[in-house]
Amino acid sequence: MTILKILAFILIVAGAVMVYGAQWAVRKYGLDRNIKCGFEDQMEEEEILQYKFNRAIVNFKMQGMLVALPGLILLLVLFR
């Protein structure tokens, strides 16, 4: 039981670090370069770069929440 509680907290902390560190990770690893923009002809170059950067941050934060979700569910089950 104790191991599962520790695992739950580790997953929650890892997900929280991913969510709060999303902007840093996108800048450091250039994750915005792989984002596709379907309506590039409707925006200027600066707007396209900002859109790709923001979309990469949102995608990274969603992945962080997906990492934290099993920890939250496990925590709810263990402390019920």
Side-chain angles (χ1 to χ4, degrees), residues 46-62:
E46 183 177 323
E47 291 174 330
I48 293 171
L49 292 175
Q50 186 66 29
Y51 171 78
K52 287 182 176 184
F53 183 73
N54 288 337
R55 187 160 171 205
I57 289 175
V58 170
N59 288 344
F60 197 81
K61 285 186 177 195
M62 290 294 288

Side-chain angles (χ1 to χ4, degrees), residues 5 9 74-80:
K5 290 178 185 177
F9 282 115
L74 188 59
L75 199 67
L76 288 174
V77 169
L78 290 174
F79 287 106
R80 190 164 54 123

Side-chain angles (χ1 to χ4, degrees), residues 1-2 4 6 18 21 32 36-37 42 60 73 77 80:
M1 249 350 188
T2 306
L4 291 177
I6 293 171
M18 284 179 71
D32 54 342
K36 305 264 188 289
C37 182
Q42 299 174 0
F60 197 81
I73 292 171
V77 169
R80 190 164 54 123

Side-chain angles (χ1 to χ4, degrees), residues 1-75:
M1 249 350 188
T2 306
I3 294 173
L4 291 177
K5 290 178 185 177
I6 293 171
L7 179 64
F9 282 115
I10 288 173
L11 286 172
I12 292 171
V13 169
V17 167
M18 284 179 71
V19 169
Y20 289 114
Q23 189 173 10
W24 174 81
V26 168
R27 279 196 183 129
K28 178 161 176 60
Y29 298 111
L31 299 175
D32 54 342
R33 291 179 293 196
N34 299 332
I35 301 295
K36 305 264 188 289
C37 182
F39 42 90
E40 292 179 354
D41 54 336
Q42 299 174 0
M43 291 191 282
E44 295 177 8
E45 184 67 28
E46 183 177 323
E47 291 174 330
I48 293 171
L49 292 175
Q50 186 66 29
Y51 171 78
K52 287 182 176 184
F53 183 73
N54 288 337
R55 187 160 171 205
I57 289 175
V58 170
N59 288 344
F60 197 81
K61 285 186 177 195
M62 290 294 288
Q63 291 173 356
M65 288 305 296
L66 288 175
V67 168
L69 185 63
L72 290 171
I73 292 171
L74 188 59
L75 199 67

